Each structure stands twice: as C-alpha cells, then as structure tokens.
C-alpha cells in the first residue's frame, strides 16, 4: 500500500501563487504515474495535471500555461506550482498515485482563491 501526504494548500488572492507538494510513502514502484486532481463544491473530481515516471506530462486545459507539475523520483514526491490563480481554482486538491494495480489518494488539501 502507498500512503500519500499532501501539503501546501491555503488562502490566496486572485492572481497569486501556491505550491502543493505530495510525498508517497511505502513500497514505490519505479514505474508509476502521479497526479493532482481537484474537486470543487457540487462538482465532480477532475484531473488537473499528471506526470509519469519518465517525466511526460498532461494538463487540463484550465491548468495549461498557469500550472506546472514536477516530480522528484528519488524522494517520491510530486509538486504542483500554481500561478495566476483564479476564484474558479478554489477546490480541494488531491494527490493521486498509480502503479500497475496499486492506486492511492491523498487526504486532500484546500485551496481557496479569494480577495
């Protein structure tokens, strides 16, 4: 089993920046995909960005050009640098890990964009 520990959420003004981090603990396969999802009140959980162990990435259209996902394979961490934040980015952000048949979710961290 893989446990995910997230940090970095909080309150930020529109146009501001935040950095989310997630550390995977347990037996980690070297081949895996880590991602950030988010869920706003009354909406379905959606993918924000995904990064594979080879460094390839995918972004939701809403995140392109504003967010950057990165990872440190040696430390089993994934980060999401968010910039130019908008009120519509307000949501609970979840870290996700998948390797073969193993899948884990973090507990979620709240990001609130408001003046």
């Amino acid at each position: 089993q893989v446990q995910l520990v997230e940090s970095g959420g909080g309150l930020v003004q529109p146009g501001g920046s935040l950095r989310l981090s997630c550390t995977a603990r347990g037996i980690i396969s070297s081949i895996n995909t880590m991602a950030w999802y988010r869920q706003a009140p009354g909406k379905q959980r959606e993918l924000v960005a995904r990064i594979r162990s080879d460094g390839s990435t995918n972004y939701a259209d809403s995140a392109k050009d504003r967010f950057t996902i990165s990872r440190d394979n040696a430390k089993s961490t994934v980060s999401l640098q968010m910039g130019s934040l908008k009120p519509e980015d307000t949501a609970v952000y979840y870290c996700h890990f998948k390797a073969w048949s193993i899948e884990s979710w973090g507990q979620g961290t709240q990001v609130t964009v408001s003046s």
Side-chain angles (χ1 to χ4, degrees):
Q1 188 66 290
V2 175
Q3 181 183 15
L4 302 176
V5 180
E6 302 151 339
S7 62
L11 173 65
V12 63
Q13 292 188 340
S17 300
L18 271 179
R19 185 178 180 87
L20 306 181
S21 294
C22 172
T23 300
R25 296 174 178 170
I27 300 175
I28 311 296
S29 168
S30 60
I31 300 174
N32 61 69
T33 299
M34 298 186 77
W36 287 96
Y37 286 73
R38 68 186 182 188
Q39 187 167 18
K43 295 188 176 181
Q44 289 189 332
R45 191 173 297 188
E46 62 177 5
L47 175 69
V48 177
R50 172 191 294 126
I51 185 166
R52 299 170 186 82
S53 48
D54 65 2
S56 59
T57 59
N58 298 104
Y59 290 90
D61 287 344
S62 59
K64 287 179 183 177
D65 300 324
R66 297 190 301 128
F67 296 179
T68 301
I69 191 169
S70 60
R71 64 186 289 160
D72 184 332
N73 290 335
K75 297 181 180 179
S76 297
T77 60
V78 62
S79 297
L80 185 69
Q81 180 67 46
M82 303 185 292
S84 302
L85 285 162
K86 307 173 183 179
E88 50 264 44
D89 294 316
T90 295
V92 177
Y93 284 69
Y94 296 91
C95 181
H96 180 258
F97 172 94
K98 185 171 176 59
W100 309 107
S101 61
I102 297 173
E103 185 174 11
S104 295
W105 290 93
Q107 79 282 3
T109 184
Q110 177 70 44
V111 171
T112 302
V113 184
S114 175
S115 55

